[in-house]
Amino acid sequence: MGSGIAEVAASSGHTVVLRSRSQSAADAMVAGLEKSLNRQVEKGKRTESERDQVLSRVSATTDLADLADCDLVIESVVEDLAVKKHLFTELDRTCGAATILASNTSTLPVVELAMETGRPDKVCGIHFFNPAPVMTLVEIVRPITASPETMAAALAFAETCGKEPVEVKDQAGFIVNALLFPYLNNAVRLLEQGVASKEGIDAAMKGGCGFPMGPFALLDLVGLDTSLAILDALYDEFRDPNYAAVPLLRRMVSAELYGRKSGEGFYDYHKR
Ligand code: CAA
């Protein structure tokens, strides 16, 4: 997600500092970005010089201090509130007073991140969708602590990136995941009940509803670990049985079958 967001921002003319905990992970994000740009050059969507210009706007670092002068920081670490809270405390200590701190969280309460900082008015959610360079929506999440100026700046940023932002209240799942995840969870339930094969269910939702990909291909794209974290956060907030993760999904995460990122989820990607 980090490299996708960096691609979107750098392609729109923003200077981007990609920060990761290890140099190898930071380098891997830049490599991912380069691969995506190379694909676009091969397809004739970009020239080589455009690709080089985008890459020249991106630097990778492990040092949080390199973010100090950024106007906007978009956090996109694991969907774990404790990890994100710790990072927001550090970002608040490191970044200049004017920096807006945003989270790309899919479901977690942004207000709790805001309250970790001494600048809760300058914290909001900027939620991209997978794959970030392709999906046009960005949810701009408004915690009750955010100032109108912060919200306006986040909306303006998304627009400069060519996205179609929608403002949304800081409530678990925001718009898309609150609607999407009961559907994905119920697809796993159908599979568990033996109603149809995963291939059959995927084909049905593509052919019958015109969805670009079926629920199991989408779960593998999003990541089963991320999907489980989203369902758990939704269940935590609403206690609605529709959000209670189906046991098969939880077992697959325990088995580290995370989807594309681990090479196998509902489908096997090792041979593709
Ligand atoms: N990075 C950059 N570009 C990508 C890409 C990636 N990871 N994956 C695909 N693309 C581009 C391709 O290069 C191609 O571009 P052109 O049309 O310019 O050539 C275009 O997307 C279409 O790709 P493909 O032809 O390879 O494949 P496709 O037509 O099957 O589309 C897809 C792939 C865009 C992923 C499409 O299947 C789709 O839209 N799927 C639904 C995705 C979705 O629902 N996302 C939301 C997930 S929920 C979420 O993200 C929220 C959360 O918090 C978890």
Side-chain angles (χ1 to χ4, degrees):
M1 207 58 188
S3 106
I5 296 171
E7 178 179 331
V8 169
S11 299
S12 314
H14 297 285
T15 304
V16 178
V17 184
L18 262 172
R19 187 266 174 179
S20 195
R21 279 173 303 175
S22 68
Q23 194 59 48
S24 59
D27 292 343
M29 284 204 285
V30 176
L33 166 57
E34 202 168 346
K35 193 170 154 197
S36 177
L37 293 171
N38 281 338
R39 241 188 346 248
Q40 291 161 34
V41 172
E42 279 159 28
K43 284 183 175 176
K45 307 262 173 199
R46 274 184 208 273
T47 63
E48 287 187 3
S49 121
E50 282 166 352
R51 174 200 60 197
D52 295 343
Q53 275 170 30
V54 174
L55 282 172
S56 72
R57 292 187 200 109
V58 180
S59 57
T61 182
T62 56
D63 191 354
L64 219 51
D66 290 337
L67 304 179
D69 297 331
C70 291
D71 298 318
L72 170 68
V73 173
I74 304 177
E75 163 279 313
S76 115
V77 302
V78 64
E79 280 293 283
D80 179 316
L81 191 57
V83 174
K84 287 189 192 282
K85 277 184 168 183
H86 179 69
L87 182 56
F88 270 73
T89 311
E90 284 189 56
L91 284 169
D92 187 45
R93 223 181 1 239
T94 314
C95 294
T99 303
I100 291 175
L101 303 179
S103 175
N104 182 53
T105 180
S106 318
T107 32
L108 296 172
V110 179
V111 67
E112 295 205 24
L113 305 178
M115 294 308 288
E116 289 298 308
T117 73
R119 63 182 90 190
D121 58 314
K122 291 200 176 66
V123 177
C124 67
I126 300 185
H127 182 212
F128 287 83
F129 290 79
N130 221 322
V134 183
M135 308 313 279
T136 53
L137 176 66
V138 176
E139 288 176 327
I140 306 292
V141 184
R142 174 173 36 84
I144 49 180
T145 42
S147 69
E149 293 75 22
T150 296
M151 295 306 293
L155 279 163
F157 166 75
E159 278 164 1
T160 64
C161 292
K163 298 296 185 190
E164 290 168 18
V166 174
E167 193 173 327
V168 54
K169 197 167 93 173
D170 180 23
Q171 173 178 296
F174 315 129
I175 302 168
V176 171
N177 287 341
L179 295 172
L180 178 64
F181 274 84
Y183 153 68
L184 294 176
N185 199 31
N186 279 310
V188 183
R189 199 186 316 280
L190 284 189
L191 180 68
E192 204 174 49
Q193 291 169 343
V195 171
S197 65
K198 55 180 185 277
E199 292 85 358
I201 296 171
D202 272 355
M205 294 313 291
K206 283 169 74 178
C209 292
F211 288 2
M213 62 201 326
F216 298 106
L218 186 53
L219 280 160
D220 281 353
L221 176 71
V222 169
L224 272 58
D225 52 340
T226 303
S227 299
L228 180 60
I230 291 171
L231 281 164
D232 283 348
L234 282 163
Y235 187 74
D236 221 36
E237 181 117 307
F238 301 111
R239 305 283 153 175
D240 178 335
N242 257 317
Y243 294 131
V246 170
L248 174 61
L249 181 64
R250 202 173 289 284
R251 296 294 177 275
M252 288 181 71
V253 172
S254 299
E256 298 179 3
L257 297 169
Y258 299 143
R260 285 179 190 241
K261 68 171 99 166
S262 67
E264 190 175 351
F266 287 100
Y267 296 103
D268 188 348
Y269 299 89
H270 292 112
K271 295 176 225 99
R272 295 187 187 194

